[in-house]
Amino acid sequence: MSDQRKIKVLVVDDEQDIIDILTYNLQKEGYEVETAMDGIKAVSIAKSFVPDVILLDIMMPLQDGVETCRQIREIPELKSTFVIFLTARSEEYSEVAAFDVGADDYINKPIKPRALLSRIAALFRRETKKDQEVSKITVRDLVIDRSSYTVSKSGKIIILPKKEFELLYFLSKSPNIVFSRDDLLQNIWGTDVFVLARTVDVHIRKVREKIGDDYITTVKGVGYKFDLG
């Protein structure tokens, strides 16, 4: 890879053969890799390794992937880490639960290494594009700082998981413009990721719970907009 620093990936799965094949393909591509076989160990390793990407199985002993992701999203040093769920489960509630705790992508097993590498590259391309945007937006008593992934209201810091923050930032940088659920899915989760429309509603609800109901307006039958008031 052309980066001066190798991109770090933490692979978390309770099947050794999956860990082995993913580790081989990632290292071949130039990534630095650490592994864990359960969620508790994954959180511990993530704190010291500080990976750029975490590939996380859902069904694991001791602690499942959803709870592991929730804990990871509470660690400040990992606020910008990409989390990609790898799972053999295809139920809708599993996917919703994954994105609800801050997943960036959701891939069903069996894993195709080349497709996985392509999805990782797509996440970094989107992030590079976002880094070129305006870093700070102030609306009334709300300050949204893209450079530090922080939100404050009347001077008080509000903690938002990564996708909730990106959704708020995206809406706030284009105030009074109505975006459909499909618009938001494509711009926040990307065209390479299949996400249910319901996921947008869940994230909007959670953002409102934290910043108040008077910033994001529902336009019935159309979508959502950020209201300047």
Side-chain angles (χ1 to χ4, degrees):
M1 304 184 70
S2 59
D3 295 344
Q4 293 182 349
R5 178 185 69 82
K6 285 187 176 182
I7 292 175
K8 297 190 289 186
V9 182
L10 173 59
V11 179
V12 188
D13 200 293
D14 62 341
E15 297 184 44
Q16 188 62 54
D17 58 338
I18 291 178
I19 286 180
D20 290 344
I21 192 168
L22 292 181
T23 298
Y24 170 78
N25 282 277
L26 289 163
Q27 289 179 336
K28 185 179 178 182
E29 193 69 12
Y31 295 107
E32 181 180 349
V33 182
E34 288 284 347
T35 65
M37 297 190 73
D38 65 73
I40 294 175
K41 186 176 181 182
V43 173
S44 177
I45 292 175
K47 289 178 180 177
S48 56
F49 184 52
V50 192
D52 301 289
V53 181
I54 299 176
L55 304 179
L56 184 60
D57 187 25
I58 286 187
M59 298 290 288
M60 294 185 295
L62 302 181
Q63 181 170 284
D64 67 23
V66 172
E67 174 60 20
T68 300
C69 184
R70 187 191 66 77
Q71 292 182 19
I72 284 169
R73 287 306 185 206
E74 293 178 349
I75 301 171
E77 294 79 9
L78 302 176
K79 64 180 182 293
S80 60
T81 295
F82 294 118
V83 177
I84 301 176
F85 273 98
L86 310 176
T87 180
R89 303 183 66 166
S90 58
E91 303 95 332
E92 177 180 325
Y93 70 83
S94 294
E95 182 177 341
V96 171
F99 285 113
D100 196 23
V101 292
D104 293 285
D105 204 345
Y106 184 97
I107 301 176
N108 288 308
K109 293 179 178 178
I111 306 300
K112 299 177 180 178
R114 291 184 64 183
L116 174 62
L117 292 169
S118 177
R119 298 279 273 269
I120 292 173
L123 287 174
F124 280 102
R125 284 196 300 271
R126 291 210 310 272
E127 194 69 11
T128 299
K129 183 178 179 181
K130 290 173 185 175
D131 286 342
Q132 299 170 354
E133 298 173 343
V134 176
S135 63
K136 185 179 291 187
I137 297 171
T138 302
V139 180
R140 287 171 273 163
D141 58 348
L142 196 69
V143 178
I144 306 163
D145 191 338
R146 179 70 175 76
S147 63
S148 61
Y149 266 81
T150 59
V151 176
S152 62
K153 184 178 182 182
S154 299
K156 183 179 179 181
I157 297 295
I158 300 172
I159 304 300
L160 294 183
K162 185 177 180 181
K163 286 303 178 193
E164 291 176 27
F165 177 90
E166 291 180 351
L167 185 58
L168 174 61
Y169 177 83
F170 179 80
L171 287 169
S172 66
K173 72 179 182 178
S174 301
N176 296 324
I177 295 177
V178 181
F179 292 95
S180 69
R181 289 174 178 81
D182 285 342
D183 290 334
L184 295 172
L185 286 172
Q186 291 181 21
N187 283 279
I188 306 303
W189 283 270
T191 56
D192 299 307
V193 183
F194 176 75
V195 186
L196 299 169
R198 178 185 168 193
T199 300
V200 173
D201 300 330
V202 170
H203 281 67
I204 291 287
R205 174 176 56 80
K206 288 183 172 292
V207 171
R208 283 172 169 163
E209 288 173 354
K210 295 168 183 174
I211 69 170
D213 295 329
D214 54 342
Y215 292 96
I216 300 176
T217 301
T218 301
V219 180
K220 191 173 181 179
V222 184
Y224 299 100
K225 69 174 182 176
F226 190 88
D227 194 346
L228 289 177

